[in-house]
Amino acid sequence: MRVHIATDHAGLELSSHLQEHLTASGYEVVDHGPQEYDAEDDYPGFCIDAAKAVAADQEAGLDALGIVLGGSGNGEQIAANKVRGIRAALAWNLDTARLARQHNNANVVAVGGRQHTLAEATEIIDAFLAEPFSGAERHVRRIAQIAEYEANGAITAR
């Protein structure tokens, strides 16, 4: 699986750690930046680039997911969710990471680097990446409604 990762300055240490951990675990990791610490950096571009890469890979039929990191993960999740086809979920524990995949087929996870130890954040990321989408009809239906709204600004089925 290919994993696209992006961060801001607050998640840079976690990003470096995760890149090493995930590569050692057999993932193909693509870093969308930043490459060095800058307390004034702007995360939207990095996170949007990672999300666009996930969407493109998935559209091409590749197995790909994304990770966006920041101090809280909130802004990074918001930025990633602006990309068509992306369902980014903020995960703060193992349950929210797993449920994001099981119920929402989230393809990007956001984690706050200032909210967790490296070990905790790594567990959350590992849980997200390992968890499959359930494929349950109700979840498929709901995701389709979100995609419909994203495409044309309306939901016909309720």
Side-chain angles (χ1 to χ4, degrees), residues 13-15 17-18 113 116-123:
E13 178 185 1
L14 176 56
S15 180
H17 167 76
L18 288 171
H116 309 281
T117 66
L118 286 179
E120 290 168 344
T122 302
E123 283 185 311

Side-chain angles (χ1 to χ4, degrees), residues 1-157:
M1 175 188 295
R2 184 175 294 160
V3 177
H4 295 275
I5 192 167
T7 189
D8 73 351
H9 60 278
L12 195 57
E13 178 185 1
L14 176 56
S15 180
S16 296
H17 167 76
L18 288 171
Q19 288 178 55
E20 290 177 21
H21 169 74
L22 295 173
T23 299
S25 297
Y27 292 97
E28 176 189 351
V29 179
V30 181
D31 181 14
H32 292 271
Q35 302 306 314
E36 58 189 41
Y37 183 86
D38 176 359
E40 295 295 318
D41 65 7
D42 296 318
Y43 62 82
F46 302 125
C47 296
I48 289 169
D49 286 348
K52 285 170 44 179
V54 170
D57 278 356
Q58 289 186 339
E59 190 169 312
L62 297 173
D63 190 16
L65 292 172
I67 301 166
V68 293
L69 308 167
S72 70
N74 284 311
E76 295 75 20
Q77 175 203 25
I78 292 167
N81 273 319
K82 299 302 177 186
V83 175
R84 184 174 297 238
I86 293 301
R87 290 173 308 283
L90 179 65
W92 61 89
N93 60 30
L94 295 176
D95 285 341
T96 57
R98 290 181 182 121
L99 288 170
R101 293 285 303 133
Q102 285 175 10
H103 291 189
N104 307 111
N105 200 15
N107 48 13
V108 173
V109 65
V111 173
R114 292 181 176 155
Q115 310 306 308
H116 309 281
T117 66
L118 286 179
E120 290 168 344
T122 302
E123 283 185 311
I124 291 168
I125 296 298
D126 285 344
F128 177 85
L129 295 175
E131 192 67 35
F133 175 52
S134 74
E137 188 278 330
R138 71 182 191 276
H139 300 310
V140 171
R141 181 180 69 243
R142 293 165 186 163
I143 292 166
Q145 290 171 354
I146 294 167
E148 178 186 14
Y149 184 81
E150 183 178 57
N152 62 33
I155 300 174
T156 54

